[in-house]
Amino acid sequence: MCYTPPSHSTVSDVMTHTAIAVGRDAPYKEIVALMDQWKVSALPVLEGEGRVVGVVSEADLLVKEELRGAEPRPGESDEAARAGAVRAGELMSSPAVTVHAGATLAEAAQIMARRRVKRLPVVNELGMLEGVVSRSDLLKVFLRKDDEIEAEIRRSVLVGTALAALDVTVREGVATVSGRLTDRSLVPLLARAVQAVEGVVDVRMELAAENGAS
């Protein structure tokens, strides 16, 4: 089976290019106000001409409320220090978890899942801020129209291969491949190739062997 790999969107295709950020000296209340105004859960912290040095998140800010009036327990000295912080440079998590604009959406999703963050600053090779990508941005591929997905499956998976006689329909992102297929060993490869097309939610196979058996 030989097919043309589908093109994949990159972070630059879905990210917010105009990112809201703060400097190291931004005060606590200003950070809270910006998050509320722009409805974001985290802000990159910049220094110099725009190099990302950290990220301050809602979780970082909530330490102050969590430990309000409480006596720090053994081993909580770092948390206690953060609870007393009033500037972004003291509150932020550093180094920042970032991603490059050329990364695929799958790569960005893996970073978010592994590091348990909802937003990633997008940086260039010098660490300068280029934008921000969020979980909701990564889900935009599932807004593709069914007919667009269908056309790409035909173009990148079926046409020009031994599978050209097969048919595909897409409804609500679920791709159904139907027809007759002699070589049953190709089924798992075909399923993976279809699943790799952006916007595909699930793949269903309705294939019959040449002798008519399912």
Side-chain angles (χ1 to χ4, degrees):
M1 176 181 173
C2 181
Y3 73 100
T4 303
S7 58
H8 289 289
S9 297
T10 63
V11 167
S12 64
D13 296 320
V14 300
M15 72 184 193
T16 301
H17 290 265
T18 304
I20 307 303
V22 294
R24 283 182 177 272
D25 293 330
Y28 187 101
K29 291 192 70 171
E30 178 184 323
I31 298 168
V32 174
L34 283 171
M35 286 184 177
D36 180 66
Q37 178 183 353
W38 295 98
K39 308 304 178 190
V40 296
S41 58
L43 294 172
V45 181
L46 311 181
E47 71 175 9
E49 296 182 357
R51 187 168 63 88
V52 178
V53 293
V55 171
V56 61
S57 68
E58 291 172 335
D60 296 323
L61 298 174
L62 282 172
V63 173
K64 186 178 290 293
E65 188 64 26
E66 179 185 345
L67 297 183
R68 184 185 300 276
E71 289 292 332
R73 295 189 294 269
E76 288 187 339
S77 56
D78 289 344
E79 291 292 292
R82 185 169 290 188
V86 295
R87 302 284 177 182
E90 304 162 329
L91 292 158
M92 70 183 184
S93 298
S94 182
V97 180
T98 63
V99 69
H100 291 294
T104 65
L105 303 191
E107 290 169 338
Q110 289 167 4
I111 295 171
M112 286 185 184
R114 188 169 62 249
R115 301 302 294 269
R116 298 181 180 180
V117 295
K118 299 177 182 179
R119 295 166 60 83
L120 291 172
V122 183
V123 300
N124 63 16
E125 294 76 8
L126 299 177
M128 308 294 281
L129 184 66
E130 294 189 326
V132 171
V133 65
S134 67
R135 288 177 178 175
S136 61
D137 292 329
L138 301 186
L139 292 173
K140 288 177 181 177
V141 292
F142 293 106
L143 298 177
R144 291 185 76 187
K145 295 180 180 179
D146 288 340
D147 57 353
E148 291 179 8
I149 300 171
E150 213 172 90
E152 183 168 349
I153 294 172
R154 288 197 177 93
R155 181 178 64 254
S156 65
V157 180
L158 302 181
V159 173
T161 74
L163 308 173
L166 298 178
D167 189 31
V168 60
T169 57
V170 179
R171 297 292 180 271
E172 299 297 327
V174 177
T176 301
V177 182
S178 58
R180 296 189 180 279
L181 184 63
T182 304
D183 189 351
R184 308 299 288 182
S185 68
L186 294 178
V187 173
L189 296 176
L190 173 59
R192 284 199 295 271
V194 174
Q195 186 69 68
V197 174
E198 288 184 340
V200 171
V201 175
D202 195 13
V203 179
R204 296 174 183 170
M205 294 295 185
E206 297 181 356
L207 301 172
E210 286 295 337
N211 61 8
S214 297

